[in-house]
Amino acid sequence: MAKATKKQKEVTLEQVLWNCRVALRGFGSFEKNRDSIIGLAFLKFASDKFDKRRQEIIEEHGNISVFLEKVSFYNSQNVYYLEEHCRWDYIVKNAGSNDIAVKLDKAMKDIEEKNPPLKGTLPQNVYASLGADKNAMKSLIDEMNKISEKRFHEEDLIGRVY
C-alpha cells in the first residue's frame, strides 16, 4: 500500500502574524511585541527587495563587489541598501544564537544610519529588551521567514501587516 502524502496547507499572512504573536507570548508588552513583529516584517520585506535588486546588478554588471556594494545602485531603484549583518539571510542563519536579539537591534540601528529617509522609523533597542529567550526569538524569525515575496508580493505588505 502506498504511503499517503500529506498536502501541506499554505498559511495565510494573518496566520503567520498570529504565530509570531504566540512566539512572543509572555515576553514584553503588547506594544513591544507589535513593534518587534512589524520591524521584522519590514526587515524581511526590505531584504527581499534588496536581494532582487542585487541579482539584477549581477545580471547587468557581473559579480563585481564595487557595483554590488554601491549604495546608489540600490537607492536609484527605491531599494534600501542593507549591510551584510542587516540582511534577512544573515538573521535566519543566526536565529538560534544566544545574542540574536542584540544582532536584530544592531541591524535596525545600522539600517537607519545607512538609509537617512528611515531615521526614527525602525524599532530601536526593542529585541534585547523583550526578555525573550533564544528559542522564542528563533521561533519568531522562523515564522516571519514564511512570508515569501512570491506569495505576499503586495507593494503595501507593511501596511497590511500593521
Side-chain angles (χ1 to χ4, degrees):
M1 182 191 286
K3 188 175 183 180
T5 57
K6 254 186 162 178
K7 186 174 180 182
Q8 184 110 12
K9 183 182 175 193
E10 289 188 10
V11 295
T12 65
L13 180 60
E14 291 76 14
Q15 289 169 319
V16 170
L17 295 174
W18 177 258
N19 292 340
C20 287
R21 292 294 306 222
V22 169
L24 292 178
R25 185 173 285 145
F27 300 107
S29 65
F30 172 80
E31 291 79 13
K32 280 188 177 183
N33 288 350
R34 177 200 62 211
D35 292 348
S36 64
I37 292 169
I38 291 171
L40 279 183
F42 170 80
L43 182 57
K44 175 73 170 92
F45 182 72
S47 286
D48 286 348
K49 289 185 76 142
F50 175 87
D51 290 342
K52 184 177 178 182
R53 178 62 185 143
R54 189 173 186 87
Q55 190 57 44
E56 291 170 356
I57 293 169
I58 290 171
E59 289 169 8
E60 292 171 19
H61 304 286
N63 194 357
I64 301 169
S65 63
V66 171
F67 296 119
L68 292 174
E69 305 307 321
K70 191 167 179 82
V71 176
S72 64
F73 277 37
Y74 296 88
N75 294 158
S76 69
Q77 298 299 313
N78 293 322
V79 174
Y80 296 115
Y81 180 80
L82 304 176
E83 295 175 316
E84 186 174 350
H85 69 278
C86 302
R87 298 174 193 160
W88 188 251
D89 57 347
Y90 176 87
I91 299 300
V92 169
K93 188 172 88 178
N94 289 281
S97 68
N98 289 329
D99 63 343
I100 187 60
V102 173
K103 287 179 182 349
L104 286 168
D105 283 335
K106 179 164 178 35
M108 294 296 175
K109 178 181 172 289
D110 292 347
I111 290 169
E112 275 195 4
E113 285 180 5
K114 196 74 165 180
N115 300 282
L118 291 174
K119 192 72 175 161
T121 62
L122 299 179
Q124 299 295 308
N125 302 315
V126 170
Y127 299 97
S129 67
L130 279 174
D133 60 29
K134 74 177 185 176
N135 294 328
M137 293 302 293
K138 181 173 181 349
S139 179
L140 174 65
I141 292 166
D142 288 345
E143 284 301 321
M144 193 60 65
N145 202 33
K146 293 177 183 175
I147 299 176
S148 75
E149 182 186 13
K150 290 174 180 76
R151 274 202 63 225
F152 305 107
H153 54 82
E154 302 151 7
E155 287 299 317
D156 192 29
L157 175 66
I158 302 304
R160 190 168 166 214
V161 167
Y162 189 76

